Structure formats: C-alpha cells, structure tokens
Amino acid sequence: MQIKDFLDKKSIKPELKSRTKEEVLEELTELLDKTGKVSNREEFLKVIREREELGSTGIGYNIAIPHARSSGIKSLVGAFGVSKKGIDFDALDREPVHLFFMLAAPQNAGGDYLKALALISRFLKRRRVRQALMEAKTVEDIQQIIEKEET
C-alpha cells in the first residue's frame, strides 16, 4: 500500500483557508467529499468531531492526522492540506499544526485502515518531507513529493 492509493489529487490543498480546528475538520471533509467516496458527509463530520474530543490527533512536529471510521464513508480515502500560518489543534507538543492528513474509512475497515495510518505517520515524521510539503505551492508539487519519497 502507498499513500497515492488513497489520496486523490482532488483531496489535496496546498493552502487551507481554515483558521480553527473546527474549520480544518470541515475543510478536509469537504476535500474528501470531492473524491466521491463519502456517502454521508454529516455522519462523517459527527464521527471525526467525536474522535477529536477523545484526544487530539495533533501528534507533534506540526502534524495532525485526524482519522475515523464511519458508515458515511464508502472506501479508504485521505485528504491532505497545508496551513502556512499554523493552527492551534491542541497538539501534544502544544505547537501550531501546519500539515494535516485526514484519513477516513468505512465502519468495518480493519487492517488497511491501520496500515494507512502507520504509513502516513512514518511518512510525515521525516523532517525533509515536512519541509518540502511546507514549501509546496501546487497540488502537483505535493503529489511529486509523495511519489518521490515513497519510492
């Protein structure tokens, strides 16, 4: 499995408009919706909000990986966005988050969902990857970084 298997170019945004945690969740969900893999947007938003209430998915290193399984999702899908200014996401290290990777999966998803989460985490923990993604200006730039770093 590779990130490009579940990250469609329609769901990548090099400059998020969001300024708050709630706005990020909505904007990334909107990106997921563009892929056609969301059957119930409101249901997914409810579930992702509940997941964030359990504990922030801001893992540090200016990264957040909001993720959830939901009956409102047809198949494994991701969305990626960058906030150049950074957003308070209640991250573990209390630093603002710049890189957001949302992962959504059907309610009954198992192994692939966990593999995808681990893959994203490993990918974003690399400093050069984070720096390159922060400097990316276009969707194509982001796709090239992912392609290059996954091979």
Side-chain angles (χ1 to χ4, degrees), residues 8-95:
D8 189 292
K9 73 184 223 174
K10 291 180 229 160
S11 62
I12 298 172
K13 198 162 187 183
E15 181 61 56
L16 294 170
K17 291 181 173 79
S18 301
R19 298 289 172 246
T20 66
K21 184 175 187 173
E22 178 59 29
E23 288 174 0
V24 169
L25 295 177
E26 288 179 19
E27 190 171 1
L28 291 172
T29 298
E30 189 177 305
L31 290 173
L32 289 178
D33 206 11
K34 290 180 180 181
T35 68
K37 293 183 178 180
V38 178
S39 58
N40 186 332
R41 188 177 183 278
E42 290 309 311
E43 167 62 20
F44 178 72
L45 254 177
K46 177 178 156 283
V47 171
I48 199 80
R49 286 177 182 131
E50 288 170 357
R51 169 61 189 86
E52 283 300 322
E53 285 176 20
L54 292 174
S56 176
T57 55
I59 61 172
Y61 303 100
N62 308 110
I63 302 165
I65 309 174
H67 58 280
R69 290 184 281 199
S70 165
S71 59
I73 301 296
K74 297 176 191 173
S75 62
L76 185 67
V77 63
F80 177 77
V82 179
S83 170
K84 306 283 191 215
K85 292 181 181 179
I87 295 170
D88 178 3
F89 209 78
D90 302 320
L92 296 175
D93 61 2
R94 300 283 175 227
E95 293 294 318

Side-chain angles (χ1 to χ4, degrees), residues 95-140:
E95 293 294 318
V97 173
H98 295 278
L99 303 173
F100 295 89
F101 204 124
M102 181 176 274
L103 187 66
Q107 192 68 45
N108 61 354
D112 283 348
Y113 173 68
L114 297 175
K115 283 180 195 169
L117 267 176
L119 184 65
I120 294 163
S121 181
R122 278 194 311 272
F123 179 73
L124 292 176
K125 289 251 174 155
R126 289 184 249 159
R127 182 182 204 146
R128 74 172 182 273
V129 169
R130 293 193 310 272
Q131 287 175 327
L133 290 169
M134 282 294 297
E135 294 167 9
K137 304 253 187 286
T138 66
V139 170
E140 291 73 23

Side-chain angles (χ1 to χ4, degrees), residues 3-4 7 123 142-150:
I3 291 173
K4 65 182 180 184
L7 182 65
F123 179 73
I142 292 170
Q143 285 181 303
Q144 285 176 354
I145 292 162
I146 292 169
E147 186 88 20
K148 177 183 171 215
E149 293 296 331
E150 278 199 313

